[in-house]
Amino acid sequence: MHRLPQSTRRHFLGLAGGAAVAGAVPIVTLRPAESTPAMLASAINNVTQGVLVRTGKVKLDVPPLVENGNTVPMTVSVDNPMTAENHVRSIHVFNEKNPQPNVGNFHLGPLAGRAQVSTRIRLADSQKIVAIAKLSDGSFWSASIDIIVTLAACTEEVI
Amino acid sequence: MRLAGTIVAALLLADAAGATEIPTAERRSGYSFMTPETQTIQDDETANPGLLWALDGEALWKRKAGTADKACADCHGDASTSMKGIAAHYPAFDKALGHPVDLGQRINLCRTDHQKASPLAYESRDLLALTALVARQSQGAAIETGSDPQLEPFIAKGRELFMQRQGQLNLGCANCHDDNWDKRLAGSAITQAHPTGYPQYRLEWQSLGSLQRRLRACITGVRAQAYDYGAPELVELELYLMSRARGMPIEAPAVRP
Amino acid sequence: MPSALINVPAKAKRGDIIEIKTLMSHIMETGYRHMASGEIVPRDIITSFTCRYNGSEIFRADLFPAIAANPFIAFFTTATASGKFEFEWIGDNGFSETASASITVE
């Protein structure tokens, strides 16, 4: 009667050993951005209104090791002057797999001095983050990264 | 399922090693296990969210409470001078009760005995805020907990609880935190369990929390029934952990993943 | 009243680019979590943050549930004149808080 559960347990322990090894490798890797799912594309289009978004100028900094997806430090900067004639008007950050594609919209202007904003974000899962900058000449520039988030051990029940 | 699996794997490793306490020279704060980015959140005086609770605590410190209509400040004056180094001695022996109390319990004893006010609930915003305010005044001070000889039997009980296997996973605290502290459990570093920064802000909690909350979460993690908040066992565990961290600097309010 | 932490340099030289850091107490409840009973915990977030420098808006942010609890926002401005920075957080359930900080520009 006990035989079946015993052998199941042995099999389970075998799997557990594999999981522990997986836990020892770096848990976050950055890969080039891949495809853009529909929700993310639609949220981006709400900002760009169909204007072509070019890759470049924007730098998206997220730590190489995400220790907890509930609070991930993020800095977005744009390599562009901040003068009356030529400046960054806004920075928009999106995510791919949280329940909602928007993370934040940051409205700047020539008075900002430097086009850089830092905040802390939530990542519900491994996913792509996209940052788009709108310049005063109406052009859009972007950067994106794929972030891998693993679940922490011993998390509490949510509520 | 995967989480349970990794804990079982840790158990197998633990069996091979057997519980041994960490030598004093090899003690490391949980801070040293964190990424530079998380360390920055703790270090930056304007970016450490735990300080929001300490700020709330400053307001509460001056607010009159209870039928005695007294504020903490009415007896203790400025917390930044009167509370300096106090948290470094907790949990401490309470003569009237005949057993150790932790810092939150001491604040509540002050409320009931001197302010004639109702005690604040464990993990309530106000209790964490006052605890954070008091603990912050010991930032950088060396932990002194356990130097009082009256505490010895309680430290021994706490040590016993730390070593004792329990729960469905049949794990004791020591199996992870003494024997496997240089390894990882799922995505998380296993630390040496030195409670240098409580109350502390955990990114997971997105809030400040007490050492009792952390201990309860750990006990639930090995699938054992957690002791209720305020249970003597939790205070004995706090006491043992603080006493073995003696000499390490207080970081409260610390930030941990 | 919830606590906020503001970091603005007390002094700056005219033309200096200075960093402003802000931290506001707020749960930032996403509206996507469930209670044990199965009910959704209603959304309760800060939706807007604004910074004005001597009356002019220099920075504004629209926040979403993907912003972590106790929102931290850091940004830059050019120190142009002595005066006051005013900060405003607006959110669900009538949340509205302000804070200010002064600067001396030489």
Side-chain angles (χ1 to χ4, degrees), chain B residues 44-53 55-56 125 201 206-207, chain C residues 1-7 21-25 68-70 72:
Chain B
D44 188 335
E45 285 277 291
T46 50
N48 179 341
L51 294 175
L52 294 170
W53 276 257
L55 270 182
D56 286 349
R125 177 111 193 163
Y201 192 92
Q206 302 182 71
S207 168
Chain C
M1 182 188 152
S3 295
L5 273 165
I6 306 286
N7 183 14
K21 293 194 248 183
T22 67
L23 192 61
M24 171 48 99
S25 290
N70 305 304
F72 170 76

Side-chain angles (χ1 to χ4, degrees), chain A residues 2-11:
Chain A
H2 287 293
R3 227 161 243 178
L4 186 58
Q6 282 286 345
S7 66
T8 307
R9 180 173 157 79
R10 206 167 293 132
H11 175 61

Side-chain angles (χ1 to χ4, degrees), chain C residues 56-77:
Chain C
S56 307
E57 180 182 301
I58 54 163
F59 181 86
R60 180 165 54 88
D62 311 318
L63 309 184
F64 294 86
I67 298 290
N70 305 304
F72 170 76
I73 303 175
F75 51 96
F76 291 83
T77 196

Side-chain angles (χ1 to χ4, degrees), chain A residues 15-114:
Chain A
L15 289 177
V21 171
V25 302
I27 59 166
V28 171
T29 56
L30 302 180
R31 292 179 277 130
E34 291 173 349
S35 64
T36 303
M39 257 178 99
L40 176 59
S42 136
I44 290 172
N45 196 53
N46 281 344
V47 168
T48 59
Q49 298 295 322
V51 174
L52 176 78
V53 180
R54 280 173 279 184
T55 305
K57 285 186 182 276
V58 180
K59 191 162 169 258
L60 190 46
D61 276 322
V62 176
L65 190 76
V66 171
E67 290 192 289
N68 192 294
N70 283 347
T71 313
V72 182
M74 177 192 76
T75 296
V76 187
S77 52
V78 188
D79 183 13
N80 197 76
M82 290 301 272
T83 61
E85 308 78 45
N86 178 11
H87 58 266
V88 178
R89 273 192 202 160
S90 55
I91 295 170
H92 309 264
V93 182
F94 306 92
N95 73 84
E96 184 188 15
K97 285 185 184 166
N98 283 2
Q100 205 179 334
N102 298 84
V103 175
N105 301 320
F106 306 96
H107 306 275
L108 317 167
L111 293 173
R114 181 184 301 171

